[in-house]
Amino acid sequence: MKDKYIQVAADSQLLKAIYERVDEELIVDKEVFMWHIIFKFLVYFSLTALLYLALYKITSPFGFMGCFVCYGFVSLLFAFNFSHDFSHNTIFKSKRLNHICFVAIYTVVGAHAEAWKLRHVNSHHYAPNVVDYDSDLKISKLIRVVPNSKYYWFHRFQHLYAPLAYTTYSLFWIFVKDFVILFSKDDYAGKKTFKYYCSFVVQKMSYITLLLVLPMCFSAQSWQIVLLGFLLMHLTQSLFLLFTFFMTHHVEATQYPVTNKDGYINTSWLMNQIKSSNDMHPFSRTANFILGGFNNHIAHHLFPHYHHAFYPEISQILYRILQEHGIKPNATSYWGGIQSHLRLLKKMGTVA
């Protein structure tokens, strides 16, 4: 798909220089890296498992619901820190092993792993924020972020209702969106095999069993409390998920390249990856440990073949090169990114 971008000689030279500088300056200690992965896995797996098991021990309904909310948050961070890297084959040498682990952890959060992976790798990474190329732009009509997209009267209020709407997204994704993708023609998935359909059924049934059936059968709570805890988990989990996702590409400074009648994108591949992405605390190891590299989004789009543990160092090298060439990367704090996203929604709530 890179041949759908215009060719800018200076940008091609810059991309080559970026890759060369990172290869020269980045120190990769494989042993340290592996111990880092083991430690991080133990942290997130242990927290996820302990919170899940606590659901069967807690007798207080309010304590149970609070535990459910905490479980949802931690399990999402578990997926942030491992599923995404597994999908890009950056942990194990074996693609098959990476894929098995990716599916297993993605099942914990309920979304269909294969559908997301195919759309993410085959669409979003090639042309972020480009209409008709980036599948992530197929957002609900309730939210308008793309310039010159269709305007509805209610977009005037989207900066006000968006946080409430965002609380419903994970439920929509798991129980509606994935099914729509499964039973409709998907330009990003190719042919859906019998294995694809079986994987979908197993993942959905596993999620429903783990999060609803087993707690209803074996916890000390009534089915109504279990269902309420499940819903509260999704409301909070989804709000964090959507704000984090949207801040990586939809803040005031991010750009939305357009295409001509022949489908060619009006910028170079490099500039699209840089200008359509937004970083949050890109040099912070703490932010990297929590958000699994989503905060280093420019580095991720340029170096998806590197594990996110290397992104703080890559970002430092990358920012130096870009500043040497007079290019300012988009970067905010986490809270600043939320504010900027809401300001973008307010701006896009006016008629173009």
Side-chain angles (χ1 to χ4, degrees), residues 83 85-90 92 94-106 112-115 117-118 195-196 199 203:
S83 282
D85 281 284
F86 281 131
S87 74
H88 287 285
N89 301 308
T90 64
F92 299 118
S94 167
K95 289 186 176 181
R96 177 176 173 78
L97 184 56
N98 277 307
H99 183 72
I100 291 171
C101 293
F102 162 70
V103 172
I105 297 177
Y106 224 73
H112 184 210
E114 285 87 348
K117 180 179 178 178
L118 289 167
K195 182 179 178 181
Y196 181 94
S199 177
Q203 288 174 53

Side-chain angles (χ1 to χ4, degrees), residues 85 153 158 274:
D85 281 284
W153 65 268
Q158 66 175 355
I274 294 171

Side-chain angles (χ1 to χ4, degrees), residues 212-261:
L212 286 173
V213 177
L214 291 180
M216 286 181 181
C217 292
F218 299 108
S219 75
Q221 310 301 323
S222 66
W223 70 266
Q224 294 95 331
I225 294 297
V226 172
L227 183 59
L228 182 57
F230 179 78
L231 293 175
L232 286 174
M233 177 198 74
H234 273 286
L235 295 179
T236 52
Q237 181 190 65
S238 185
L239 185 64
F240 171 69
L241 171 70
L242 259 289
F243 269 129
T244 303
F245 274 8
F246 274 139
M247 282 188 289
T248 61
H249 288 289
H250 305 297
V251 295
E252 294 164 289
T254 50
Q255 296 181 2
Y256 299 83
V258 296
T259 57
N260 63 19
K261 60 183 178 63

Side-chain angles (χ1 to χ4, degrees), residues 7-46:
Q7 299 300 311
V8 180
D11 292 348
S12 298
Q13 290 293 327
L14 177 56
L15 180 60
K16 182 180 178 181
I18 289 171
Y19 286 155
E20 289 176 350
R21 286 272 289 274
V22 169
D23 284 342
E24 291 171 2
E25 298 181 25
L26 182 66
I27 299 173
V28 177
D29 187 320
K30 292 184 179 180
E31 184 176 352
V32 172
F33 166 70
M34 190 52 62
W35 279 113
H36 175 85
I37 295 300
I38 292 171
F39 173 73
K40 177 175 272 197
F41 179 82
L42 289 174
V43 169
Y44 282 107
F45 176 79
S46 298

